[in-house]
């Protein structure tokens, strides 16, 4: 009788122990799986390279700089002392003077030179000769011209002019005259020099 009771008691205890073991395994396994999955996910996140696109600020700035450089205007003047040719008087326009002479150049290309001959017609009527009208001396040299072309190079401008009318046989109508402007002085190659007001004060175009 006692042996039978002891056997039953052992059987019950074994059953209880097995049940507890199974419950323990069943309870811990999901937790362990979740923890393992979480750990694997974390490692995957850490090891996965970033796919975020780089900031567009730098490429946009570079493109803008390139566009600005391309849009920058090129130098307008001829490089290295180049040559410029025009059909208008430009820099020659104005009044140029010398001792007893004057050259006036207009924007439309017309020009007139007036100068003393220092010989009165009453003394020698051969032109050009000066005249005395009342108390005024009328210069005998009267030449009208038209500026056809101006060439500028190496800081000098050279005008080519055609004589329209002339009282001086040495400067005949239809002849070509050359005027060279260097600094403040115009040199009429077949005649004389003419100055602007600054050069005149310095005596550059004296007698």
């Amino acid at each position: 009788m006692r042996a039978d009771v002891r056997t039953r008691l052992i059987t019950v205890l074994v059953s209880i122990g097995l049940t507890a073991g199974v419950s323990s395994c069943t309870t811990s396994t999901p937790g362990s799986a979740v923890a393992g999955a979480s750990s694997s996910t974390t490692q995957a996140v850490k090891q996965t390279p970033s796919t975020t696109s780089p900031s567009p600020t730098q490429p946009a700035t570079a493109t803008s700089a390139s566009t600005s450089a391309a849009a920058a205007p090129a130098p307008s003047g001829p490089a290295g002392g180049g040559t410029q040719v025009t059909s208008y008087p430009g820099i020659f326009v104005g009044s140029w003077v010398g001792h007893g002479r004057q050259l006036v150049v207009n924007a439309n290309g017309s020009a007139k030179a007036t100068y003393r001959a220092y010989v009165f017609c009453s003394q020698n009527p051969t032109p050009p000769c000066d005249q005395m009208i009342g108390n005024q001396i009328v210069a005998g040299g009267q030449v009208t011209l038209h500026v056809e072309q101006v060439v500028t190079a190496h800081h000098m401008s050279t005008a080519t002019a055609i004589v329209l009318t002339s009282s001086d046989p040495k400067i005949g109508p239809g002849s070509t005259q050359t005027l060279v402007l260097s600094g403040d002085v115009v040199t009429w190659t077949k005649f004389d020099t003419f100055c602007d007001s600054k050069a005149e004060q310095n005596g550059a175009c004296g007698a």
Side-chain angles (χ1 to χ4, degrees):
M1 178 90 176
R2 289 181 179 177
D4 187 41
V5 171
R6 184 180 301 174
T7 300
R8 290 182 178 180
L9 181 59
I10 292 172
T11 301
V12 170
L13 290 176
V14 169
S15 299
I16 292 173
L18 290 174
T19 303
V22 170
S23 299
S24 176
C25 291
T26 304
T27 302
S28 61
T29 299
S32 299
V34 170
S38 300
S39 176
S40 299
T41 303
T42 302
Q43 292 178 357
V45 170
K46 288 182 179 180
Q47 294 177 359
T48 301
S50 174
T51 57
T52 304
S53 300
S55 173
T57 303
Q58 293 180 351
T61 303
T63 302
S64 176
S66 300
T67 304
S68 300
S76 57
T83 301
Q84 181 180 14
V85 181
T86 63
S87 58
Y88 49 88
I91 196 170
F92 284 90
V93 173
S95 178
W96 308 84
V97 298
H99 182 72
R101 58 190 179 273
Q102 182 181 39
L103 172 66
V104 178
V105 181
N106 302 308
N108 62 2
S110 63
K112 183 176 182 179
T114 304
Y115 52 94
R116 290 283 310 275
Y118 294 102
V119 175
F120 286 101
C121 295
S122 59
Q123 299 170 332
N124 184 354
T126 303
C129 58
D130 301 334
Q131 296 185 53
M132 192 74 180
I133 300 178
N135 295 326
Q136 184 179 3
I137 298 176
V138 179
Q142 304 281 335
V143 180
T144 61
L145 313 94
H146 188 270
V147 176
E148 301 291 323
Q149 178 180 274
V150 174
V151 178
T152 301
H154 307 294
H155 308 290
M156 287 196 310
S157 296
T158 302
T160 301
I162 302 299
V163 176
L164 303 179
T165 63
S166 175
S167 65
D168 191 339
K170 296 188 297 293
I171 307 174
S175 63
T176 300
Q177 304 296 315
T178 302
L179 309 174
V180 179
L181 173 59
S182 179
D184 303 315
V185 179
V186 173
T187 300
W188 187 336
T189 56
K190 292 182 180 180
F191 181 49
D192 214 326
T193 56
F194 298 83
C195 293
D196 65 4
S197 56
K198 178 181 177 181
E200 181 191 16
Q201 291 177 357
N202 295 332
C205 294

